[in-house]
Amino acid sequence: MPQKTLADTLAARETLYVNCGHPMCCKSTKLDIQALIDRLGPDHGSMHQDLVGRFGCSKCKAEGRHRSPVFFTCVPDYEGQQRARNRDWKPTFESTPSTS
């Protein structure tokens, strides 16, 4: 069983990008996690080793370059984490002693 599934990635509201590793290209594309789930299933792994064989760079292929490895970037839902962290925070308006 994979360490992390596509369903886990979707539930965590993370964003995945696939990036071309060719130095002349470096194209980056945001992946549609729901479309991947529809195609591969919710239990398919979302880690690099689970996805790397399924992607190639269409730009490099069209330009006749050799197939370079792709890599993935996962961006956490920072905004959601910040909301959860501050949910119970309430400011206090206590005066602080002055140091005169």
Side-chain angles (χ1 to χ4, degrees):
M1 177 138 169
Q3 293 177 346
K4 186 174 182 183
T5 66
L6 291 171
D8 296 336
T9 302
L10 184 65
R13 299 174 50 95
E14 295 172 337
T15 305
L16 273 179
Y17 291 89
V18 61
N19 310 284
C20 177
H22 195 283
M24 296 291 291
C25 181
C26 301
K27 181 180 176 182
S28 180
T29 302
K30 182 179 175 181
L31 297 177
D32 183 344
I33 304 299
Q34 186 59 56
L36 282 174
I37 289 173
D38 294 343
R39 186 172 184 168
L40 303 173
D43 294 330
H44 191 278
S46 65
M47 303 299 283
H48 175 85
Q49 67 271 15
D50 302 318
L51 297 172
V52 71
R54 301 201 173 262
F55 290 91
C57 181
S58 57
K59 182 179 175 187
C60 284
K61 183 178 180 180
E63 294 180 8
R65 288 194 278 260
H66 71 279
R67 184 178 170 152
S68 292
V70 296
F71 60 96
F72 299 89
T73 305
C74 179
V75 181
D77 177 24
Y78 290 116
E79 188 176 310
Q81 291 174 1
Q82 189 70 19
R83 264 193 318 274
R85 191 175 307 130
N86 291 333
R87 185 174 317 152
D88 297 326
W89 181 80
K90 297 200 178 15
T92 59
F93 296 102
E94 299 172 6
S95 62
T96 57
S98 63
T99 56
S100 299

